[in-house]
Amino acid sequence: MPLRIGIDLGGTKIEILALDDQGRELLRRRVPTPARDYSATLAALVGLVQETEATLGLKGSVGVGIPGAESLADGRVKNANSTCLIGHPLGRDLERALERPVRLANDANCFALSEAVDGAGQGANSVFGVILGTGVGGGIVLQGRVLVGANAIAGEWGHNPLPAPQKEDLPLPACYCGRRGCIETYLSGPGLLADYERQPGADPEIKDVADLASRATAGDPLAEAALGRYEARLARSLATVINVLDPEVIVLGGGLSNLTRLYRTVPRLWGPHVFSDTVRTRLLPNRHGDSSGVRGAAWLWPQESHP
């Protein structure tokens, strides 16, 4: 039986998942990520693969989702919020230790791939996977394959400027990347809360998005206004993606994907910003939730090249 092993390398935990070729889960395990220690992180990854294969009595393909990307120039990790990975050839080190090819991909690409293969976007030729959480990321899957891009940044829409800023969007917030007005500064969870907190009369007791959404449902006008601005900004931003990529499906992930109202309101709002008389793109919630990243890592090996 072919075995697919996926690993989600996060800042606080490492999750490993083994699937059969039909996507059925055979084993899953989580361990803490060694703090700020590349060598210990590498050892933990290798150990998890070896333990998984020993438990199942099978050897499999290995895919790893990372919070960054491999440089196409030298294979070293770049743009990672787990900074101990930056500058290290993680893919090559894993291949040497495991004595087989290993595929690495950005964690947002893994999310998009998971949802395209057997998730909310199953059957679609083009899927844009969106992460709306602490940050804003994205991944593109075309005909079942992740689009990496010439600079390994395909789908990274969060650091484009917010389209068509309105009066209520000003002044443009500063972003950690050094720019101002990035989509991430508005559409991340912290960005939404910061927008609410800037309103006169905002309740300092509101500390998370779920609480904000509950207040809006209960009729709090300031909470409702903040969510309304968020939906308008998300609609304009996704309309730009549709104008460029024209995907069949957009799947939302991350904590803000749990705001069910987005799937009703955003498609109603993006129409005027899309260069088309009709918009057939579907906006859908993810199917696999927190498991999408690790499942997508397991699917990094396409069927025809799977051992």
Side-chain angles (χ1 to χ4, degrees):
M1 176 180 64
L3 179 67
R4 294 177 177 272
I5 295 174
I7 300 174
D8 182 16
L9 174 54
T12 59
K13 58 87 179 171
I14 303 172
E15 182 173 13
I16 191 167
L17 175 70
L19 302 176
D20 67 15
D21 230 30
Q22 283 70 52
R24 291 186 290 260
E25 183 176 322
L26 304 176
L27 181 148
R28 182 191 295 262
R29 186 183 174 199
R30 288 186 178 188
V31 299
T33 303
R36 299 178 295 278
D37 189 329
Y38 176 75
S39 296
T41 299
L42 177 64
L45 294 171
V46 172
L48 281 171
V49 172
Q50 292 172 339
E51 292 167 12
T52 295
E53 293 181 333
T55 299
L56 297 175
L58 295 167
K59 188 174 181 178
S61 60
V62 178
V64 184
I66 63 172
E70 280 187 294
S71 168
L72 298 182
D74 59 14
R76 297 177 184 273
V77 176
K78 64 176 182 177
N79 299 347
N81 55 26
S82 293
T83 54
C84 74
L85 301 177
I86 294 175
H88 290 282
L90 179 61
R92 293 200 298 270
D93 287 345
L94 283 172
E95 289 183 339
R96 186 180 303 111
L98 295 172
E99 299 181 329
R100 78 195 78 168
V102 173
R103 292 192 175 181
L104 268 60
N106 176 263
D107 49 12
N109 288 345
C110 290
F111 165 77
L113 182 59
S114 173
E115 293 297 329
V117 171
D118 61 355
Q122 185 174 9
N125 285 321
S126 53
V127 175
F128 184 59
V130 173
I131 304 294
L132 299 172
T134 304
V136 173
I140 302 167
V141 177
L142 302 176
Q143 297 181 338
R145 292 178 178 270
V146 171
L147 178 64
V148 176
N151 303 293
I153 56 170
E156 289 292 353
W157 69 310
H159 291 281
N160 286 315
L162 181 75
Q166 309 296 305
K167 181 179 179 181
E168 60 268 25
D169 303 325
L170 302 175
L172 301 177
C175 183
Y176 76 89
C177 74
R179 302 176 180 89
R180 303 190 71 89
C182 289
I183 286 170
E184 181 168 302
T185 65
Y186 295 96
L187 298 186
S188 64
L192 170 56
L193 291 175
D195 178 72
Y196 168 77
E197 291 165 359
R198 283 192 288 268
Q199 299 176 108
D203 185 350
E205 296 300 315
I206 292 183
K207 299 299 184 183
D208 57 45
V209 171
D211 191 17
L212 183 68
S214 296
R215 295 286 189 94
T217 300
D220 184 318
L222 293 182
E224 177 60 37
L227 286 176
R229 289 191 297 274
Y230 183 89
E231 289 163 339
R233 292 161 179 161
L234 180 58
R236 298 202 306 272
S237 300
L238 289 179
T240 301
V241 172
I242 295 171
N243 285 337
V244 174
L245 183 62
D246 204 12
E248 294 179 36
V249 174
I250 296 174
V251 183
L252 301 187
L256 282 90
S257 69
N258 296 320
L259 295 175
T260 56
R261 57 185 280 168
L262 298 181
Y263 305 98
R264 299 188 306 272
T265 56
V266 171
R268 291 204 302 263
L269 295 172
W270 68 24
H273 306 285
V274 175
F275 189 59
S276 176
D277 55 345
T278 60
V279 185
R280 297 183 179 181
T281 300
R282 292 175 287 153
L283 182 66
L284 300 175
N286 62 79
R287 182 178 297 172
H288 294 303
D290 290 342
S291 296
S292 266
V294 72
R295 290 181 65 87
W299 288 115
L300 285 173
W301 289 88
Q303 186 75 29
E304 62 270 19
S305 63
H306 181 60

